[in-house]
Amino acid sequence: MSTGVTISSISDYAILGCGSVGYAVAEELVEQGKDVLIVDRDESRVESLRDQDLDARTADIREPEAADLVADRDVVLILASDVESNKRAVEHIREIDDTQFVVARASDPVSGDELEELGADIVINPSSVIAESALRALESGELEYNAGKLAQLLEETSTRLAIVTQDSPDPDSIASAAALQAIASHLGIESDIIYLGDVGHQENRAFVNLLGIDLVQWDEIEDHAVYDTVALVDHATSGEMDLPVDVVIDHHEPEAEFEPEFVDIRPNMSSTSTIMTKYIQEFDMNVSEEVATALLYGIRAETLDFKRDTTPADLTAAAYLYPFANHDTLEQVESPSMSPETLDVLAEAITNRDVQGSHLVSNAGFVRDREALTQAASHLLNLEGVTTTAVFGIADETIFLAGRSKDIRINIGKVLEDAYGEMGETAGHSTQASAEIPLGIFTGIEISDDTRDTLLDLTEEAVKRTLFDAMGVEGGSSEGSNGN
């Protein structure tokens, strides 16, 4: 329904039914310099409003007369506590004019639907508004409390803080660690960002290099005892480090059981970068360009540029970071050059692709850079008719598999869990996932130069058959097509 005006240009308002809600709205509008007409059937209330220099008229909002009184107003707010009266008021207004902007008060979802059907442009439910306001206040209070508790714990660090990312950290994990390092520096605490695996994906390497984020490999640290406080950000476990964990901040529930002094896990947010942005705001810090850029990219990467599982918190965090971020750097991170290794893996995956319906599985052979499997799976998802991809390869006596899906009927994380959960380790969610499977489970053959090709053949058949079965594709990979 077109109103013919924009809200910012509106100056003429009418309020039908002036109880506590209507009066509060009237006060705010008058304070903003708006022309407000109030209509209420209670004569004593109208008299009291006039004594306060408000323009008030006596009329029953259930009658056509009330609609006539407000016919020249751009916006009509129908705010009586009696929903039936509000319905009649909407009906009479719409009989006269279909262009007025009408806001009506409901008492529950059912009455809200009825008011919309009668022609209300916006329906509000005071109970819902109060509940939302209470939840926002609760969230704000919890964040303030958590920030104080986190600061107190970090300030007890006597030597150095270890901020631990994922083993092979992705942008969300790296950005979250950089944010916590900035908070630690704000509190006067020295820290290191530590990872246990490698930064393999070229986009992640570009991310780290362009932003100047200093990551330290755990095995390269001479004295691990220097860290008397340990924080895990966007990370599931610290088992290989054999250090007690003091802080856990994540947007996923950890698989391992910890007993840290400080925990902030919020599955209702799509990225840990969103959580860390809230802390940056709560500490009232001047966020640096590097940290703002990292956090914004972390949110965008985790939500697929706000196309997957995006929450209002992610959007407000991104809006806060946007003015401080370097967008030229973001563009460079998102368009890194492709390494020769990645190109080789992609070529191998294209050649060996097996397509069953809209599902594609491919063997990339023996690989040196297992992160190239992730990029190959993403690129192959662009093939016409393909909605789910899985690319696997062998490295370090392990089968590494990367899966991607844009099919809303498939949860690729669940597919890999069903296929390989009892054999190895899997991780991921509905659109992207990974698996690591010990090679010996499939073959029982000792790896050597002489057995490489045999291993590859045996592995390909076993992995593809298991995966296609988990996808529910009939016929497995026995008569697959390379898509030619």
Side-chain angles (χ1 to χ4, degrees):
M1 187 177 300
S2 174
T3 64
V5 293
T6 60
I7 296 300
S8 60
S9 69
I10 294 171
S11 59
D12 296 328
Y13 291 79
I15 295 175
L16 301 187
C18 194
S20 58
V21 174
Y23 181 73
V25 173
E27 270 196 319
E28 180 63 29
L29 289 174
V30 170
E31 178 132 357
Q32 293 179 19
K34 306 297 185 182
D35 181 10
V36 182
L37 168 64
I38 301 170
V39 177
D40 195 278
R41 66 179 179 180
D42 188 325
E43 292 185 5
S44 61
R45 183 179 299 160
V46 168
E47 193 64 35
S48 175
L49 292 169
R50 286 174 177 169
D51 290 341
Q52 299 175 58
D53 293 328
L54 294 172
D55 184 2
R57 317 276 179 88
T58 303
D60 190 336
I61 69 171
R62 296 172 295 183
E63 301 298 329
E65 175 193 357
D68 292 332
L69 284 173
V70 300
D72 62 336
R73 299 286 157 158
D74 294 323
V75 177
V76 180
L77 299 102
I78 306 171
L79 303 176
S81 57
D82 179 21
V83 175
E84 291 303 317
S85 296
N86 293 345
K87 291 179 187 177
R88 300 292 77 75
V90 172
E91 284 181 314
H92 294 312
I93 287 171
R94 286 303 177 219
E95 287 171 1
I96 296 174
D97 190 345
D98 198 43
T99 63
Q100 282 180 297
F101 194 83
V102 176
V103 179
R105 173 179 174 177
S107 58
D108 52 52
V110 174
S111 61
D113 291 341
E114 292 172 346
L115 284 163
E116 286 184 350
E117 289 174 4
L118 290 169
D121 294 289
I122 292 179
V123 174
I124 58 173
N125 185 341
S127 298
S128 298
V129 172
I130 293 170
E132 290 173 7
S133 178
L135 289 172
R136 284 196 298 271
L138 176 62
E139 181 180 343
S140 176
E142 285 181 334
L143 182 61
E144 181 180 357
Y145 172 79
N146 282 347
K149 187 176 178 182
L150 177 62
Q152 183 179 6
L153 191 152
L154 294 180
E155 287 171 341
E156 292 175 358
T157 302
S158 57
T159 53
R160 205 166 186 85
L161 166 68
I163 304 171
V164 186
T165 70
Q166 296 175 4
D167 289 353
S168 299
D170 64 7
D172 187 31
S173 188
I174 296 168
S176 301
L180 185 57
Q181 187 174 53
I183 290 171
S185 177
H186 176 71
L187 297 172
I189 295 142
E190 295 184 350
S191 63
D192 292 320
I193 301 174
I194 297 169
Y195 67 103
L196 282 79
D198 55 58
V199 184
H201 197 300
Q202 63 211 28
E203 193 171 299
N204 296 344
R205 289 195 295 267
F207 178 67
V208 170
N209 294 335
L210 286 169
L211 292 173
I213 299 173
D214 189 16
L215 302 183
V216 182
Q217 223 286 341
W218 176 251
D219 293 336
E220 296 176 0
I221 300 170
E222 294 183 4
D223 183 13
H224 295 155
V226 70
Y227 301 108
D228 60 332
T229 304
V230 176
L232 304 186
V233 287
D234 196 45
H235 184 51
T237 177
S238 67
E240 296 179 34
M241 297 178 60
D242 195 28
L243 288 176
V245 176
D246 303 289
V247 175
V248 174
I249 303 175
D250 205 333
H251 70 113
H252 290 306
E253 294 285 351
E255 296 178 3
E257 291 186 6
F258 300 110
E259 293 184 358
E261 201 170 326
F262 180 88
V263 180
D264 190 352
I265 296 171
R266 305 193 207 181
N268 63 320
M269 294 188 182
S270 297
S271 72
T272 307
S273 292
T274 299
I275 301 172
M276 295 311 303
T277 300
K278 300 298 182 184
Y279 277 109
I280 291 281
Q281 292 175 282
E282 186 61 36
F283 279 104
D284 197 21
M285 297 166 47
N286 292 322
V287 60
S288 69
E289 180 179 274
E290 293 76 18
V291 171
T293 305
L295 287 170
L296 180 56
Y297 184 63
I299 296 170
R300 288 174 54 178
E302 204 68 9
T303 60
L304 291 182
D305 253 342
F306 310 109
K307 294 190 289 285
R308 178 187 69 199
D309 301 333
T310 307
T311 69
D314 303 315
L315 295 173
T316 56
Y320 167 77
L321 296 166
Y322 190 87
F324 305 110
N326 187 318
H327 298 279
D328 290 336
T329 300
L330 280 175
E331 187 174 347
Q332 293 180 64
V333 171
E334 291 168 342
S335 306
S337 57
M338 184 175 287
S339 69
E341 166 71 3
T342 300
L343 193 60
D344 289 342
V345 170
L346 179 57
E348 193 75 14
I350 291 172
T351 301
N352 295 332
R353 68 192 185 279
D354 186 347
V355 181
Q356 302 282 341
S358 63
H359 308 308
L360 181 152
V361 178
S362 186
N363 182 0
F366 290 90
V367 298
R368 294 188 301 276
D369 180 6
R370 67 194 194 200
E371 289 294 334
L373 299 171
T374 300
Q375 290 165 277
S378 296
H379 279 291
L380 289 173
L381 199 59
N382 294 321
L383 289 177
E384 184 178 356
V386 172
T387 61
T388 304
T389 62
V391 179
F392 63 93
I394 300 173
D396 303 324
E397 300 187 15
T398 302
I399 301 165
F400 293 96
L401 187 148
R404 293 289 184 271
S405 181
K406 57 186 179 183
D407 188 338
I408 61 173
R409 299 167 300 176
I410 284 185
N411 183 320
I412 191 64
K414 181 69 165 57
V415 167
L416 296 194
E417 171 65 24
D418 290 343
Y420 310 115
E422 295 183 359
M423 308 175 191
E425 296 182 4
T426 64
H429 40 67
S430 60
T431 59
Q432 61 184 47
S434 62
E436 298 182 15
I437 312 140
L439 185 58
I441 284 179
F442 284 104
T443 66
I445 300 174
E446 186 176 346
I447 301 173
S448 69
D449 289 340
D450 295 333
T451 61
R452 283 169 64 90
D453 291 340
T454 303
L455 281 170
L456 203 56
D457 292 340
L458 292 171
T459 300
E460 179 173 21
E461 177 63 22
V463 172
K464 287 167 67 175
R465 184 176 64 249
T466 304
L467 187 53
F468 275 127
D469 287 345
M471 289 178 174
V473 177
E474 294 184 5
S477 60
S478 58
E479 297 294 337
S481 164
N482 66 3
N484 291 333

